[in-house]
Amino acid sequence: MRGVRAAFAGSAAGPQGYPKGDLPEVAVAGRSNVGKSTLINALLGRKALAKTSATPGKTRLINFFDVGGRFHLVDLPGYGYARVPKGERAAWGPRIERYLTGRDALRLVVLLVDIRHPAQERDHQMVAWLEHHKLPVLVVATKRDKLGRGAAGKAVAGLERDLEAPVLPVSARKREGLAALWRALDAAVDGAAVAGTARRSPGQSPG
Ligand SMILES: Nc1nc2c(ncn2[C@@H]2O[C@H](COP(=O)(O)OP(=O)(O)OP(=O)(O)O)[C@@H](O)[C@H]2O)c(=O)[nH]1
Ligand SMILES: [Mg+2]
């Protein structure tokens, strides 16, 4: 694991609360409970820098983490969890969208999906929406440790077919796939094209 210096850099509901300065940012998005906060902790070698929970909907604000003074990792609120009070749930879409469309420093969106489930409608929408807004996306399948090798391989192939994008399997718990993910983050932060970025040919119809 890397000896990276990481620190909480603030929470925000909107642009006024975003950190100042011009560090590049990598945002981690995905459905509630998919493992966003846990993955951020695993990447940074910290147990509880980002708050995690078995109760979905834990992360409601946008949380920024400074990584070695080099870039921010951004923990976005989870989308699409039904058991959150309705008014609050409604605020998540705009809050996330505002960040994703309005943040010049954003270099890459790491979109998490659970390796145990086929891609959900919201995941499809998110990939399409990110591509529409010309935001580079890397799809990462979390909780790789929950499946055996054969099942995991099949699941990744199915997700790649469904989402029409390369999918990188990881396990925060077992610390698998993190080196490959770090390479993608480094490339994005250093301004290089990201190898795993989803691409559709212009003529291809969606879905
Ligand atoms: N087995 C296993 N469980 C994991 C892994 N990553 C996360 N989890 C579990 O998944 C649950 C949700 O993890 P969180 O990191 O809080 O998920 P989140 O996406 O941040 O959720 P919200 O903040 O609600 O959007 C917790 O119970 C974690 O322990 C993993 O790699 N393997
Ligand atoms: Mg979280």
Side-chain angles (χ1 to χ4, degrees):
M1 196 220 320
R2 303 202 175 188
V4 66
R5 246 180 336 105
F8 179 64
S11 288
Q16 303 87 334
Y18 299 167
K20 307 284 177 263
D22 52 8
L23 282 188
E25 293 186 342
V26 174
V28 181
R31 286 186 303 124
S32 197
N33 211 41
V34 73
K36 296 176 295 296
S37 304
T38 304
L39 182 60
I40 288 173
N41 287 329
L43 283 167
L44 300 179
R46 298 281 292 266
K47 277 211 169 67
L49 189 60
K51 299 283 179 291
T52 66
S53 170
T55 312
K58 183 79 177 172
T59 313
R60 298 184 189 196
L61 293 171
I62 300 173
N63 289 305
F64 297 81
F65 300 94
D66 177 297
V67 184
R70 203 174 137 234
F71 69 101
H72 288 137
L73 261 179
V74 183
D75 193 358
L76 292 175
Y79 52 79
Y81 188 69
R83 258 164 53 197
V84 171
K86 220 177 179 179
E88 191 146 12
R89 182 158 34 112
W92 289 4
R95 190 173 287 178
I96 297 170
E97 284 191 22
R98 198 167 179 197
Y99 169 80
L100 292 173
T101 54
R103 192 64 166 159
D104 287 343
L106 183 60
R107 296 286 180 273
L108 175 67
V109 178
V110 177
L111 178 63
L112 305 192
V113 295
D114 189 317
I115 198 166
R116 295 169 296 176
H117 308 304
Q120 316 273 304
E121 183 56 29
R122 295 298 298 269
D123 301 325
H124 280 284
Q125 288 171 353
M126 193 63 163
V127 170
W129 187 90
L130 290 168
E131 289 180 347
H132 174 76
H133 288 278
K134 304 215 164 20
L135 290 164
V137 54
L138 172 65
V139 182
V140 166
T142 60
K143 313 190 187 183
R144 159 74 185 78
D145 55 281
K146 296 268 197 185
L147 295 180
R149 184 174 301 185
K154 273 189 193 152
V156 168
L159 286 165
E160 290 188 326
R161 203 173 45 236
D162 282 357
L163 294 171
E164 299 180 62
V167 172
L168 174 67
V170 302
S171 167
R173 185 160 297 176
K174 294 271 178 71
R175 305 198 53 81
E176 290 170 356
L178 300 186
L181 181 50
W182 261 117
R183 282 194 291 277
L185 301 189
D186 285 336
V189 168
D190 295 341
V194 178
T197 296
R199 287 271 173 267
R200 283 191 181 89
S201 58
Q204 201 174 336
S205 64

